[in-house]
Amino acid sequence: MTAIMRRIGLALGLPVVLLAVWWFVSADSQDLYQPPLGRIFAVFPSTWTAERLAEDVLPSVSRLLVGYAFAVTLGVTFGVLIGSGRTLRAFLEPTLEFLRAIPPPVLVPILILIAGFGDVTKVLVIVIGGFWPVLLNTVEGVRGTDEVLGDTCRSYRIAGPLRLRTFVLQAASPQIMTGARQALSISIIMMVISEIMGTTDGLGYAIIEFQRGFQIPEMWSGVFLLGGLGVLLAMLFRMAERRLLIWYYGVRAEVRGGIH
Amino acid sequence: MTSPHTTTLSRAGRSPVLLGLAGLVTLAGLLEALPRSGVLPAEYLPPTSTILAALVEQFGRAEFWLALGLTLRTWLTGLAISLSAGLILGIVIGSVPALRAATASTIEFLRPIPSVALIPLAVVLYGSGMRATLLLVIYASFWQILLQVLHGVTDVDPLARETANSYRISRLRQARHLVWPTTLPYAMTGVRLSAAVALILTLTGELVIGTPGLGNEIANASGSIAIPAQYALVVVAGLTGVMANVVTRTAERKVLAWHPSVRKEVAV
């Protein structure tokens, strides 16, 4: 019982102290740009009403999820193709090296120019941002599969979809998940950028509108909401990762335990 | 399995460098031919030669070099600050178990906050100057290095640690000969990730906030519908990214030449 209390105390201690310090230091703040924390909390419910959540947050999140799903699917598909062929990999490597080095935000103005301000552009922006980490990690994962296992598959004539599902994707999954995690944070960044740079709805748009209208406490509350969204998605991702990679943690613990 | 004569060995023998060059040339060729033949709209996707001409034109502008210099300055300043902060804090927090336990939840909460959420804050605090973009850059790249160093410090092989304790090797010498070599590969991975993220956020800040630099030049080119110039600047941004990757990876290989993991990527 005390152990659990201790853990809760440790987990909540520092955040509570930090928030308390912020609360009291900012309590009498007259600075327009750094409003008291109490005021930010006070405007939160009236700013993020159900209506606003439906109008601004829901479109953002759905674009994010659609774009992210596309990015992961495309990244894994092309990653497996490129990772399996040695010649293809050598052929494409420098090209991919260049393309992935382009910071995705600089492509946003070009995409807006080509495809306009619509939902397609905004989703596309997210796909382009999230695609590269998944692709490159999948290529690495597929390339790094155990050769003995590969030969075993060949000996038993395990090929096609069965080989893909039970061997290639399975063996590469820790790396794929690493890529998917990086892609998630890039996707959120791209979502906000696409909304700041040209749109009429979305969380990023709402926050920038508050800033331009000098509604600073409302702006801060939006920053909190966006931060909360990032934290929530990261938590969901970790839960999914734990489920998918449970076998891998077992193997790794075994290998480490075997050393001593 | 193209033909029975091409074994894996002979295929591996074919120079990967030449194949890679062929890949680049193919891409350039496709991007030249498709807009020219009208398959892709040349208006929005100018052929490679037009982009190259625009690139050469940029090279002749003093403003371009100034912008490139400003971008590099913001990027490297932000990177230097977050790397030193991340390394020091990572080692301190990582080596004191009580600190690690007390900060874990805070780090877990702050890290996933998207750095672009800070854009409005940066603007109201610092306007559109370099400091506004620096705030984004540092926030985004700090977590990458911090987490890697934290992982590294706590990854010391228990057997090696017990051996060191048995031989009564002092804490200081343990830090030098046990903790540091364990942490270094993780830290180098952190440096590589931080450098890439910092560059992305540098250009984002310039593009969105308007901090002078390459990103701002792209925004201007897009504002005046100078499409080839815009592509040329994107190419420059890409080349900067390639350079960052090459430099950090070379440094990694040099610094970790003694380490068996140099051939294998460290899991992130």
Side-chain angles (χ1 to χ4, degrees):
Chain A
M1 202 52 205
T2 44
I4 296 174
M5 296 284 280
R6 238 179 75 90
R7 279 189 56 184
I8 294 177
L10 274 175
L12 291 181
L14 187 59
V16 167
V17 170
L18 289 177
L19 278 176
V21 169
W22 187 354
W23 182 284
F24 287 113
V25 167
S26 68
D28 307 317
S29 166
Q30 296 300 317
D31 189 340
L32 173 67
Y33 298 128
Q34 291 166 26
L37 186 59
R39 239 183 85 72
I40 299 174
F41 284 158
V43 299
F44 195 94
S46 57
T47 308
W48 302 101
T49 56
E51 198 186 337
R52 180 145 235 148
L53 287 178
E55 268 173 24
D56 280 324
V57 182
L58 196 65
S60 288
V61 175
S62 30
R63 283 192 293 255
L64 174 70
L65 294 181
V66 172
Y68 182 62
F70 268 109
V72 172
T73 317
L74 290 174
V76 170
T77 311
F78 283 100
V80 168
L81 285 176
I82 297 170
S84 314
R86 193 187 302 234
T87 315
L88 186 64
R89 208 167 57 227
F91 183 68
L92 289 179
E93 212 148 55
T95 310
L96 296 178
E97 194 71 18
F98 172 69
L99 290 179
R100 72 117 179 207
I102 299 175
V106 303
L107 296 171
V108 178
I110 291 181
L111 282 172
I112 291 178
L113 205 69
I114 296 177
F117 285 113
D119 276 340
V120 179
T121 307
K122 276 170 259 166
V123 171
L124 213 57
V125 166
I126 297 170
V127 176
I128 290 181
F131 174 69
W132 295 107
V134 181
L135 178 84
L136 294 161
N137 278 289
T138 308
V139 170
E140 281 303 307
V142 171
R143 198 174 62 113
T145 47
D146 190 349
E147 267 180 44
V148 178
L149 277 177
D151 289 343
T152 312
C153 278
R154 206 164 300 139
S155 306
Y156 283 101
R157 305 234 169 124
I158 297 171
L162 185 65
R163 180 171 183 277
L164 187 67
R165 209 183 60 224
T166 56
F167 169 55
V168 178
L169 285 181
Q170 182 85 2
S173 59
Q175 283 261 302
I176 295 177
M177 290 309 277
T178 301
R181 189 174 40 218
Q182 291 170 4
L184 185 61
S185 35
I186 295 269
S187 295
I188 301 175
I189 291 180
M190 298 309 288
M191 173 194 92
V192 177
I193 292 175
S194 77
E195 289 171 359
I196 290 178
M197 290 192 67
T199 160
T200 47
D201 62 15
L203 192 47
Y205 171 77
I207 296 177
I208 285 293
E209 276 301 291
F210 288 138
Q211 179 226 313
R212 290 186 185 140
F214 289 97
Q215 294 167 283
I216 305 299
E218 284 81 356
M219 177 199 91
W220 272 95
S221 76
V223 172
F224 276 30
L225 186 65
L226 192 50
L229 180 69
V231 174
L232 178 73
L233 288 172
M235 252 162 61
L236 289 175
F237 185 89
R238 237 192 354 248
M239 274 159 62
E241 188 180 31
R242 265 194 207 139
R243 280 209 110 146
L244 278 169
L245 295 185
I246 193 146
W247 61 274
Y248 171 69
Y249 300 134
V251 171
R252 206 175 50 176
E254 189 99 325
V255 170
R256 293 223 157 161
I259 295 172
H260 35 82
Chain B
M1 311 249 170
T2 40
S3 82
H5 300 293
T6 43
T7 61
T8 321
L9 260 179
S10 73
R11 257 187 289 151
R14 205 179 289 165
S15 165
V17 178
L18 279 181
L19 265 176
L21 273 177
L24 279 174
V25 170
T26 312
L27 178 77
L30 274 178
L31 290 180
E32 176 76 31
L34 292 179
R36 281 215 184 280
S37 60
V39 178
L40 291 173
E43 196 188 335
Y44 294 132
L45 218 162
T48 314
S49 54
T50 315
I51 297 176
L52 283 179
L55 190 61
V56 171
E57 198 188 308
Q58 289 293 330
F59 288 163
R61 290 173 62 226
E63 294 95 327
F64 165 78
W65 294 107
L66 185 68
L68 184 61
L70 285 174
T71 297
L72 293 179
R73 193 181 72 173
T74 310
W75 173 42
L76 293 176
T77 312
L79 194 59
I81 294 174
S82 57
L83 287 185
S84 23
L87 196 62
I88 293 169
L89 282 175
I91 290 177
V92 171
I93 295 175
S95 11
V96 184
L99 263 181
R100 209 161 63 223
T103 53
S105 64
T106 312
I107 292 176
E108 274 311 295
F109 183 79
L110 289 178
R111 186 179 57 101
I113 294 178
S115 46
V116 283
L118 303 180
I119 287 179
L121 294 183
V123 172
V124 296
L125 291 179
Y126 300 122
S128 65
M130 176 175 139
R131 280 197 295 174
T133 295
L134 266 184
L135 182 72
L136 304 183
V137 173
I138 293 170
Y139 190 85
S141 54
F142 170 70
W143 300 111
Q144 308 277 351
I145 178 84
L146 178 75
L147 283 175
Q148 287 296 324
V149 174
L150 276 178
H151 270 296
V153 174
T154 47
D155 194 44
V156 173
D157 186 350
L159 185 67
R161 164 141 284 162
E162 277 160 31
T163 310
N165 284 338
S166 307
Y167 283 99
R168 304 225 175 130
I169 293 172
S170 73
R171 292 277 294 185
L172 200 68
R173 291 193 64 192
Q174 276 193 32
R176 168 74 190 80
H177 295 287
L178 189 62
V179 180
W180 181 244
T182 313
T183 310
L184 202 54
Y186 286 90
M188 291 311 287
T189 305
V191 170
R192 186 156 46 79
L193 293 172
S194 291
V197 168
L199 183 64
I200 293 181
L201 267 300
T202 304
L203 284 155
T204 304
E206 292 167 355
L207 199 62
V208 177
I209 303 177
T211 306
L214 217 49
N216 195 33
E217 289 287 299
I218 293 177
N220 289 342
S222 134
S224 54
I225 330 263
I227 295 175
Q230 209 177 329
Y231 277 96
L233 291 168
V234 167
V235 170
V236 175
L239 291 177
T240 316
V242 171
M243 189 198 74
N245 288 337
V246 170
V247 169
T248 46
R249 238 178 284 162
T250 314
E252 204 170 347
R253 226 165 284 149
K254 281 240 162 91
V255 174
L256 300 177
W258 51 275
H259 198 278
S261 82
V262 148
R263 279 164 291 132
K264 248 169 59 183
E265 287 287 321
V266 182
V268 182

